[in-house]
Amino acid sequence: MQTEVSETATVDDAVLAADSVRKTFGEIVAVDDCSFEIERGSITGLIGPNGAGKSTMFDCISGFYQPDAGTIRFDGTDITGLPAHKIAHEGLVRTFQITRDLAEMTVMENMMLTPKNQTGESMFHAVFNRDTIERENAEIQRDAEKLLELFQLDHVRQEYAGNLSGGQRKLLEMARMLMLEPEAMLLDEPMAGVNPTLENDIVERIEELNRQEGVTFVIVEHDMDLVMDLCDRIIVMNEGRDLAAGTPAEIQNDERVLEAYLGGDS
């Protein structure tokens, strides 16, 4: 028997909401009138077949693409079309399928560069407020050390980022984004190319940050067992549209989802 799941199900407290978002590339419609809401403090999976529009939707939400139509709201504020750095400074950050660390800088240097509104970024303050900058840098370094310890990267703090394993680089990217003290994180295939040991580490960090710090996560991931175990709620996209939204149990028993994704060729 099919479990009916609302295609535009609302949540009690939405930290992120997409309303009728559309994105095209020439004649290709990548995201087609897609709407969904992400509950504050949740771990939400965004799934769908290859080409469903998941990563493009992430790009529209996080400011890397300008939507052709629709509205995106974060924490009650319209962020549609804002540049990526401004959205990140609002508290919504993302990671990528291919990590974007600075390979020729050390792990610690990657961490130190990330925090927003550093006093030393201003030429005036760099010359006349050196004491303030030194205090600020010491605080940033302490925060970086705590995160590197949390992500079990403290032993490679002076290693060049480009020398890390794929899994370690995924952990570093998450740690870097947390230097921005985000309210929500979009993780685009965080487990891709990661060995099982580091995959467990990433899952543990996500759960710990969600439970203890209240960080909201939205995760694009192809490992269905992991999604079903990790996520509180799942949104399904197909052919650029939102197909269904519900709990893992509801999604697993929805015939539309089984046909479009779980029972498909992808």
Side-chain angles (χ1 to χ4, degrees), residues 136-155:
E136 187 178 89
N137 284 342
E139 291 175 3
I140 291 171
Q141 184 165 351
R142 283 195 296 271
D143 291 342
E145 292 280 4
K146 289 178 183 177
L147 283 168
L148 290 178
E149 184 176 354
L150 173 66
F151 281 84
Q152 299 181 20
L153 293 171
D154 47 316
H155 64 291

Side-chain angles (χ1 to χ4, degrees), residues 6-242:
S6 171
E7 295 183 7
T8 56
T10 58
V11 300
D12 292 335
D13 182 14
V15 68
L16 176 64
D19 184 14
S20 301
V21 174
R22 180 179 175 85
K23 180 63 183 176
T24 61
F25 300 95
E27 296 182 359
I28 298 173
V29 181
V31 177
D32 187 12
D33 195 32
C34 186
S35 301
F36 57 74
E37 294 182 347
I38 304 298
E39 186 169 10
R40 190 185 310 274
S42 69
I43 302 176
T44 298
L46 180 61
I47 69 172
N50 289 332
K54 305 179 296 295
S55 291
T56 302
M57 191 68 186
F58 265 19
D59 286 332
C60 290
I61 292 171
S62 56
F64 289 87
Y65 287 155
Q66 171 88 36
D68 299 321
T71 304
I72 300 164
R73 301 185 69 83
F74 176 66
D75 211 10
T77 299
D78 188 345
I79 61 170
T80 313
L82 288 180
H85 70 278
K86 288 190 176 181
I87 292 175
H89 287 179
E90 289 291 326
L92 175 62
V93 301
R94 70 160 301 176
T95 65
F96 294 84
Q97 294 179 32
I98 301 174
T99 56
R100 297 193 174 189
D101 51 53
L102 300 171
E104 296 183 0
M105 300 183 72
T106 68
V107 167
M108 180 57 76
E109 288 168 342
N110 268 268
M111 297 290 287
M112 295 287 289
L113 279 177
T114 305
K116 59 189 177 183
N117 302 325
Q118 296 187 49
T119 304
E121 294 173 355
S122 162
M123 181 65 72
F124 175 84
H125 290 300
V127 174
F128 295 104
N129 288 330
R130 297 192 63 82
D131 290 345
T132 299
I133 293 170
E134 288 177 3
R135 286 196 300 272
E136 187 178 89
N137 284 342
E139 291 175 3
I140 291 171
Q141 184 165 351
R142 283 195 296 271
D143 291 342
E145 292 280 4
K146 289 178 183 177
L147 283 168
L148 290 178
E149 184 176 354
L150 173 66
F151 281 84
Q152 299 181 20
L153 293 171
D154 47 316
H155 64 291
V156 293
R157 61 170 62 84
Q158 297 306 326
E159 184 65 72
Y160 288 113
N163 293 339
L164 302 183
S165 70
Q168 288 175 320
R169 293 179 79 165
K170 296 267 188 178
L171 289 167
L172 174 58
E173 185 170 45
M174 288 180 61
R176 286 179 59 224
M177 293 301 98
L178 286 167
M179 291 292 288
L180 292 169
E181 300 180 346
E183 186 172 355
M185 295 186 74
L186 311 177
L187 307 183
D188 196 351
E189 297 195 34
M191 310 305 174
V194 176
N195 69 52
T197 299
L198 283 178
E199 181 176 304
N200 290 335
D201 289 342
I202 293 173
V203 169
E204 288 179 4
R205 298 295 83 76
I206 291 170
E207 291 179 328
E208 184 174 355
L209 291 163
N210 176 253
R211 289 194 306 264
Q212 298 184 10
E213 306 294 335
V215 178
T216 302
F217 288 92
V218 188
I219 303 172
V220 168
E221 179 56 52
H222 287 290
D223 184 336
M224 288 298 98
D225 289 337
L226 186 150
V227 169
M228 296 299 168
D229 289 342
L230 177 62
C231 296
D232 310 308
R233 189 167 175 271
I234 297 170
I235 296 165
V236 185
M237 290 184 66
N238 187 42
E239 297 181 347
R241 292 177 172 267
D242 53 294

Side-chain angles (χ1 to χ4, degrees), residues 260-261 263-266:
Y261 187 76
D265 297 330
S266 304

